[in-house]
Amino acid sequence: MKLIVLGSSSSGNCYILDNGTESLIIEAGIRFQEVKKALDFNLRKVVGCVVTHAHNDHAKYIKAMVDSGFHTLALREVWTAKGVWDSRSLVVKEGKGYKMGNFKVLPFPACHDVPCVGYLIDHPDMGKMVFLTDSCMCEYQFKGLNHVLIECNYSDKKLIEAITTGRTLPSQRERLLTSHMELTTCKGFLEANDLSHVSEIVLLHLSENNSDEPYFISEVERHTGKVVYAAKPGLTIDLDRI
Ligand SMILES: [Zn+2]
Ligand SMILES: [Zn+2]
């Protein structure tokens, strides 16, 4: 199973899981033309799309997903915010499982400044993956994980530096604390979960002003002993089972 990253930041999020015959799209925050290109214009293999919340960097192009015939999972608030109602707009219920092709998808509550979910995604070719972005924390532990995609938006140190040098407004600090994941929280989440069958960790949604990609990668690598990537457009990873 391949993971293709089309975007992972406040300027747009979209990821594709693709095993050659089935594709699942995660997030709809990238222009649909880009998504089609990444799918080699083979839209028939798309088994569905899952969206975490209504912010435009995740859901701006959700209508294009539905209009293309993709069954799309999102919270009721997302459909209401985007004014999209169609037989393919599926309303997510947290804790309820969904099947999209051979993907099994389980939404769970995230902790953001608007209603938001993370997804536990299972496929025979990949095993179990957790996907959590735009969440200041995670109170859940997951069993039997093979792949971890987790937000690592900022570090307190970088944030303070950015505020001191005027790159980040002091008023943004309060919002970040309750809406995005800090490096220490990310490491705490990884520590709380059994990583013995995890083959790699992908850090998501790094802030442009308040993060430090090489440092975040080395910190998480040092902390977990796993291979760590930072998601960015063009990154493609083989998600093999170990
Ligand atoms: Zn976001
Ligand atoms: Zn958001």
Side-chain angles (χ1 to χ4, degrees):
M1 182 75 70
K2 237 192 252 171
L3 167 73
I4 303 162
V5 180
L6 300 185
S8 184
S9 72
S10 54
S11 44
N13 294 268
C14 184
Y15 311 80
I16 299 173
L17 291 172
D18 186 316
N19 72 349
T21 53
E22 287 188 310
S23 306
L24 180 72
I25 300 169
I26 308 173
E27 306 287 36
I30 293 284
R31 278 193 328 120
F32 192 58
Q33 191 59 23
E34 296 294 314
V35 179
K36 282 200 284 194
K37 221 190 283 172
L39 291 162
D40 284 330
F41 299 92
N42 179 359
L43 303 190
R44 273 173 310 172
K45 64 180 174 178
V46 176
V47 294
C49 171
V50 300
V51 170
T52 58
H53 66 292
H55 285 155
N56 270 337
D57 56 324
H58 300 258
K60 187 172 182 185
Y61 301 100
I62 199 168
K63 187 174 185 302
M65 298 291 172
V66 172
D67 289 347
S68 305
F70 306 158
H71 291 282
T72 302
L73 270 181
L75 289 164
R76 181 174 299 281
E77 289 85 352
V78 178
W79 297 118
T80 306
K82 301 300 171 204
V84 180
W85 291 107
D86 184 278
S87 58
R88 299 180 194 96
S89 323
L90 310 176
V91 176
V92 156
K93 288 199 176 59
E94 289 159 356
K96 182 183 184 301
Y98 298 85
K99 207 156 186 299
M100 301 176 117
N102 287 304
F103 289 94
K104 281 189 212 149
V105 176
L106 184 72
F108 60 90
C111 187
H112 198 35
D113 53 355
V114 297
C116 183
V117 289
Y119 287 100
L120 198 58
I121 302 172
D122 211 329
H123 188 285
D125 287 355
M126 160 184 100
K128 206 185 272 187
M129 176 183 119
V130 64
F131 177 90
L132 180 62
T133 187
D134 293 50
S135 190
C136 63
M137 54 166 268
C138 181
E139 53 185 320
Y140 304 99
Q141 287 166 24
F142 303 95
K143 286 205 173 80
L145 290 177
N146 303 111
H147 312 280
V148 176
L149 276 67
I150 177 89
E151 176 175 37
C152 193
N153 182 260
Y154 70 101
S155 68
D156 284 335
K157 183 168 171 277
K158 274 282 148 192
L159 177 59
I160 290 163
E161 264 175 43
I163 290 173
T164 312
T165 55
R167 277 180 297 134
T168 296
L169 290 172
S171 57
Q172 278 193 313
R173 183 162 186 266
E174 208 54 43
R175 185 194 166 232
L176 279 175
L177 290 178
T178 54
S179 60
H180 286 283
M181 195 172 288
E182 202 266 340
L183 173 63
T184 311
T185 312
C186 176
K187 288 195 289 187
F189 168 81
L190 294 165
E191 202 169 296
N193 279 274
D194 176 9
L195 302 182
S196 54
H197 296 284
V198 166
S199 41
E200 73 293 294
I201 296 162
V202 185
L203 305 179
L204 309 179
H205 213 293
L206 273 69
S207 157
E208 196 185 326
N209 289 333
N210 313 317
S211 75
D212 178 342
E213 184 188 309
Y215 177 68
F216 285 15
I217 290 175
S218 71
E219 265 298 283
V220 176
E221 264 175 357
R222 195 174 61 81
H223 203 72
T224 61
K226 298 289 172 184
V227 177
V228 179
Y229 302 89
K232 58 178 86 174
L235 177 73
T236 301
I237 306 171
D238 275 320
L239 302 182
D240 296 324
R241 302 192 75 153
I242 55 168

